[in-house]
Every structure is written in structure tokens, then in C-alpha cells.
Amino acid sequence: MITLHHCPQSRSMRTLWLLYELDIPFRVTVHPFDKSLRRPEFLSLSPAGRVPALEIDGERMFETGAITQYLCERFSPDRMGRGVDSPDRMAWLVWVHFAETISQHVAALTQQHIMLYEDHMRSAIVMKLEAARIAKCYDAIEARLSTPVENRDYLLTSGFSAADISVGQAVYMARHFAPLNNHPETAAWYARITARPAFTSCLPQTGGGLYARDFYPVWEG
């Protein structure tokens, strides 16, 4: 049995989406996004006290990129993953891991807008810089999707994969701080991949998740 340790609207949503797409048996243990992640029993699963953590075959994994690569190589090397002989293997690896570039900026903005409760702790400068960096990430996705090749519906020429899941989930989070208004190809791609039933299954239940609002504008102080 595979057990995913998950917090709604966090990086572990990426793994949850992938597990639904793989259509393999698994169970989910949902954790609150709070200090309970620092308890010794959870730190034994994920030493940094972060999600996702994955239990599989008596072993424990953490770090989303590693989990994505392992699950794809084991359960779906040619559908969700791309094998070492695939022409899209290099691009698959790049985009799976590019999701973390987006996520680090999202994490900084989540801290600024949500985790810091006192106004004097927040910085409008940090918010503006991190939102601009997310927009630069959107630029990279837009350039990729605008490449004039046949059937450019997804990040890879060969079709939907875990690369779209990884980057798509990061964009789902990023949209709370930076809209897609100036990135039409990215917006169309995002709408396409989030129409998938597996994505809908990953959304938090009413009242769950980190974000109380759909969008957080830059704080003016």
C-alpha cells in the first residue's frame, strides 16, 4: 500500500494529482499545516517537517521531484513519465523540476501574506519582487507553449505527462499571487489540464487549505 501524507493546497497536492492519474491503489493521511509537522513521528517521515511524505514498500520518501520521478519510472514510464530513450526525456526532467522554481516564490508569498500575522513583519518590497519572479516563470511557460510545433497542447510534444502535473500544480498555487492575464497560451494550457478529473479530485474540501481568498494583491503597508 502507498500512503501519501498530505496538506491541502501544498506541494503534496502535486503527488496526489499524480497518484490519481496513475490509477493505482493508495491512501491519504491529511495533516494540518501547523506545528504538528514538527513532531518526532512526522519528522521520521520527512526530516524537514514538510509534505509530501510517501510511504511505499516499507520505505519513506520526501521531496516532490524525487517522488514524481520514482512513481513515474515504476508505474508509468511512458505515459506519465518519459523513458531514458524518449526524445522528450530531457524536457520532461527539466519541467518536472522547474515546478520547484515556481514553488519557492509561492512559498515566500504564502509566508508574507498568510503565515506572518503582524503587519510589521511583512514587506511590500518582498511581495512585489516575488510576484514579479512568478511572472518571469510564466514567461518561460508561455515561451514553451508558444513554440511552433504540431499539437503543442502540453509542455511536451509527445503529450500530457507528469511535467504538466508538476508545473500545473505550481501554477495553481501561484495564481493566488500573480494572475495569468498576460499569458494567454499558459492560461489556455492551465484550463485544459485542470479540467481533468484527477485535478478536481485534489482540490480541498470546503473550508480546507491554506488560502482563504482566491487572490492576494501586493500589500501596501
Side-chain angles (χ1 to χ4, degrees):
M1 175 61 70
I2 297 172
T3 299
L4 171 66
H5 294 267
H6 169 59
C7 293
Q9 291 187 320
S10 74
R11 285 177 176 90
S12 59
M13 181 181 174
R14 200 174 301 163
T15 306
L16 183 60
W17 184 357
L18 175 60
L19 286 166
Y20 278 122
E21 294 281 2
L22 290 172
D23 195 24
I24 56 177
F26 68 95
R27 61 187 178 191
V28 181
T29 299
V30 177
H31 298 265
F33 196 84
D34 61 17
K35 292 181 180 179
S36 66
L37 299 179
R38 299 292 188 268
R39 292 175 180 167
E41 55 268 32
F42 188 78
L43 292 176
S44 70
L45 299 171
S46 178
R50 296 167 57 186
V51 290
L54 193 77
E55 297 181 79
I56 181 169
D57 296 340
E59 299 291 339
R60 298 162 181 178
M61 293 190 72
F62 52 93
E63 294 299 326
T64 50
I67 290 171
T68 295
Q69 191 167 346
Y70 177 81
L71 290 176
C72 288
E73 288 175 354
R74 179 168 174 179
F75 296 106
S76 187
D78 300 317
R79 186 171 63 88
M80 289 296 104
R82 293 296 182 272
V84 293
D85 295 327
S86 169
D88 268 340
R89 171 68 172 184
M90 185 183 297
W92 184 85
L93 286 169
V94 167
W95 289 104
V96 163
H97 293 285
F98 183 71
E100 274 304 298
T101 299
I102 304 171
S103 292
Q104 67 178 341
H105 303 309
V106 172
L109 284 164
T110 300
Q111 182 183 60
Q112 286 287 321
H113 285 278
I114 296 168
M115 309 310 292
L116 298 179
Y117 297 104
E118 301 292 336
D119 284 350
H120 72 272
M121 298 177 178
R122 297 173 175 155
S123 168
I125 293 174
V126 171
M127 291 180 183
K128 289 176 182 177
L129 285 173
E130 293 296 341
R133 287 165 179 159
I134 287 177
K136 289 294 184 183
C137 292
Y138 291 167
D139 289 346
I141 301 168
E142 188 77 6
R144 175 68 175 180
L145 295 169
S146 300
T147 304
V149 298
E150 187 177 359
N151 298 324
R152 175 60 84 206
D153 288 335
Y154 303 105
L155 291 172
L156 303 184
T157 306
S158 52
F160 181 79
S161 74
D164 297 287
I165 293 171
S166 296
V167 177
Q169 187 276 334
V171 170
Y172 164 77
M173 303 282 282
R175 288 170 64 253
H176 289 89
F177 308 106
L180 288 170
N181 299 346
N182 297 321
H183 298 86
E185 295 298 331
T186 304
W189 161 82
Y190 179 79
R192 191 157 46 245
I193 63 172
T194 56
R196 299 176 70 89
F199 173 81
T200 304
S201 298
C202 297
L203 295 174
Q205 300 300 312
T206 302
L210 289 173
Y211 305 111
R213 290 186 275 168
D214 291 334
F215 184 72
Y216 293 81
V218 170
W219 182 67
E220 298 297 338

